[in-house]
Short mmCIF file of all heavy atoms in Angstrom, two decimals:
data_model
loop_
_atom_site.label_atom_id
_atom_site.label_comp_id
_atom_site.label_asym_id
_atom_site.label_seq_id
_atom_site.Cartn_x
_atom_site.Cartn_y
_atom_site.Cartn_z
N TYR A 39 -1.46 -71.03 36.48
CA TYR A 39 -1.52 -70.90 37.93
C TYR A 39 -2.96 -70.76 38.38
O TYR A 39 -3.83 -70.36 37.59
CB TYR A 39 -0.70 -69.69 38.40
CG TYR A 39 -1.20 -68.34 37.93
CD1 TYR A 39 -1.93 -67.52 38.79
CD2 TYR A 39 -0.94 -67.87 36.64
CE1 TYR A 39 -2.40 -66.28 38.37
CE2 TYR A 39 -1.40 -66.64 36.21
CZ TYR A 39 -2.12 -65.85 37.09
OH TYR A 39 -2.58 -64.62 36.66
N ARG A 44 -12.93 -63.17 38.19
CA ARG A 44 -13.22 -61.83 38.72
C ARG A 44 -14.71 -61.55 38.86
O ARG A 44 -15.11 -60.69 39.63
CB ARG A 44 -12.58 -60.78 37.83
CG ARG A 44 -11.08 -60.81 37.93
CD ARG A 44 -10.46 -59.50 37.58
NE ARG A 44 -9.03 -59.58 37.76
CZ ARG A 44 -8.25 -58.54 37.90
NH1 ARG A 44 -8.74 -57.33 37.89
NH2 ARG A 44 -6.95 -58.68 38.05
N SER A 61 -1.90 -61.61 32.03
CA SER A 61 -2.58 -62.83 32.46
C SER A 61 -3.92 -62.95 31.77
O SER A 61 -4.54 -61.95 31.40
CB SER A 61 -2.83 -62.78 33.97
OG SER A 61 -1.66 -63.06 34.67
N PRO A 354 -3.80 -59.14 51.30
CA PRO A 354 -4.26 -59.25 49.90
C PRO A 354 -3.11 -59.12 48.89
O PRO A 354 -3.14 -59.76 47.86
CB PRO A 354 -5.26 -58.09 49.77
CG PRO A 354 -5.76 -57.88 51.17
CD PRO A 354 -4.61 -58.19 52.07
N ASP A 355 -2.12 -58.31 49.24
CA ASP A 355 -0.95 -58.17 48.33
C ASP A 355 -0.20 -59.48 48.16
O ASP A 355 0.51 -59.67 47.18
CB ASP A 355 0.05 -57.16 48.93
CG ASP A 355 -0.40 -55.75 48.66
OD1 ASP A 355 -1.36 -55.59 47.87
OD2 ASP A 355 0.19 -54.82 49.23
N CYS A 357 -1.52 -62.38 47.87
CA CYS A 357 -2.24 -63.33 47.02
C CYS A 357 -1.73 -63.09 45.60
O CYS A 357 -2.13 -62.13 44.94
CB CYS A 357 -3.75 -63.09 47.11
SG CYS A 357 -4.73 -64.26 46.17
N ALA A 358 -0.80 -63.91 45.16
CA ALA A 358 -0.13 -63.60 43.90
C ALA A 358 0.53 -64.83 43.31
O ALA A 358 0.65 -65.87 43.95
CB ALA A 358 0.95 -62.53 44.14
N LEU A 359 0.92 -64.70 42.06
CA LEU A 359 1.81 -65.66 41.40
C LEU A 359 3.22 -65.11 41.58
O LEU A 359 3.49 -63.97 41.22
CB LEU A 359 1.48 -65.76 39.91
CG LEU A 359 2.50 -66.46 39.02
CD1 LEU A 359 2.59 -67.95 39.34
CD2 LEU A 359 2.16 -66.26 37.54
N LYS A 373 6.32 -60.55 40.97
CA LYS A 373 5.05 -60.86 41.64
C LYS A 373 3.90 -60.42 40.75
O LYS A 373 3.80 -59.25 40.39
CB LYS A 373 5.04 -60.09 42.96
CG LYS A 373 4.04 -60.53 43.99
CD LYS A 373 4.40 -59.85 45.30
CE LYS A 373 3.23 -59.70 46.20
NZ LYS A 373 3.55 -59.01 47.43
N VAL A 374 3.04 -61.36 40.40
CA VAL A 374 1.87 -61.05 39.57
C VAL A 374 0.64 -61.11 40.48
O VAL A 374 0.28 -62.18 40.96
CB VAL A 374 1.74 -62.07 38.42
CG1 VAL A 374 0.53 -61.75 37.55
CG2 VAL A 374 3.01 -62.13 37.60
N PRO A 375 -0.02 -60.00 40.74
CA PRO A 375 -1.14 -60.01 41.70
C PRO A 375 -2.31 -60.87 41.23
O PRO A 375 -2.58 -60.96 40.04
CB PRO A 375 -1.55 -58.54 41.78
CG PRO A 375 -0.45 -57.77 41.16
CD PRO A 375 0.23 -58.67 40.19
N ILE A 376 -3.00 -61.48 42.19
CA ILE A 376 -4.23 -62.22 41.92
C ILE A 376 -5.32 -61.56 42.75
O ILE A 376 -5.19 -61.44 43.98
CB ILE A 376 -4.10 -63.70 42.34
CG1 ILE A 376 -2.99 -64.40 41.54
CG2 ILE A 376 -5.42 -64.44 42.17
CD1 ILE A 376 -2.68 -65.79 42.03
N ALA A 377 -6.36 -61.11 42.09
CA ALA A 377 -7.45 -60.45 42.81
C ALA A 377 -8.13 -61.46 43.73
O ALA A 377 -8.67 -62.46 43.27
CB ALA A 377 -8.46 -59.88 41.82
#
Side-chain angles (χ1 to χ4, degrees):
Chain A
Y39 65 101
R44 291 205 178 200
S61 283
D355 280 350
C357 183
L359 166 68
K373 196 168 155 182
V374 180
I376 298 172

